[in-house]
Structures are given as structure tokens and as C-alpha cells.
Amino acid sequence: QVKPNVQTFGKLIESCAHAGREDEAKRWYEVMKTIGAPITHVHFTASVDSSAKLGNVEGAEAWLGEMQASCLTPNLITYSALLNAAGKQGNIAAAERWFT
């Protein structure tokens, strides 16, 4: 059996995002926090993406806030996922809020 590490957790969360399983992505994020695994840009961006796939702007924004609270700066991939969420919901105001 393989012990999970930063990379395996990242892939688990990314898989949840691709499947549109926001609830499962959150669960794996919580597991990481519980065991004290380092949480990186990859994990947060995949979590943002899990909300974005469902068009959940509020969920994506919550992940963004948690990322920033963890002293990590969103990158181009993070913002692309946020824009995807806004686009799916037709929420231009959210997109403008992130870039002004």
C-alpha cells in the first residue's frame, strides 16, 4: 500500500475536480489538514477547480480566500479556474471583482 504524500493528495483533489466532486475534494483537503500535510498552490487550485466545474462561484471564492489566508498567492491557473466558475454561472460581476 502506498502512503499518501503531497503529490498523491494533489492528484486525489485534481481527480475530484475533474469529476465535479467538490465534496470529495473538500474531504481530501480536510484529511491533509488533519495529518499536517503541507498544502500548496496545487491543492488549493485543484480545490478552486472542483467548485468551478460546478459553476459554484461562492465555493471557488471561499477556496481563494482560504488560499490567501494561508499566505499563498493565487497564480494564473487559479484565476483561470475562478473565471471558469464565473463563466458557467454567467457571473461577470465576480470576474470583474477579482481583477479590479
Side-chain angles (χ1 to χ4, degrees):
Q1 185 172 5
V2 176
K3 282 190 160 222
N5 60 30
V6 174
Q7 287 80 19
T8 55
F9 278 118
K11 289 301 177 187
L12 283 167
I13 295 172
E14 284 178 12
S15 296
C16 294
H18 289 298
R21 295 295 311 266
E22 184 178 21
D23 55 337
E24 287 294 313
K26 176 99 174 135
R27 187 177 72 80
W28 285 114
Y29 172 78
E30 292 298 331
V31 167
M32 290 182 71
K33 281 177 46 177
T34 300
I35 67 169
I39 301 172
T40 69
H41 283 86
V42 170
H43 305 105
F44 278 113
T45 298
S47 298
V48 167
D49 196 37
S50 71
S51 295
K53 296 269 192 237
L54 299 174
N56 181 358
V57 172
E58 295 80 16
E61 283 184 314
W63 283 116
L64 176 65
E66 193 149 346
M67 181 181 198
Q68 292 169 324
S70 297
C71 299
L72 293 172
T73 303
N75 59 24
L76 178 63
I77 298 167
T78 309
Y79 281 115
S80 292
L82 286 164
L83 289 172
N84 183 33
K88 283 190 176 199
Q89 224 179 44
N91 191 339
I92 302 305
E96 289 173 346
R97 189 170 54 247
W98 300 320
F99 293 100
T100 56

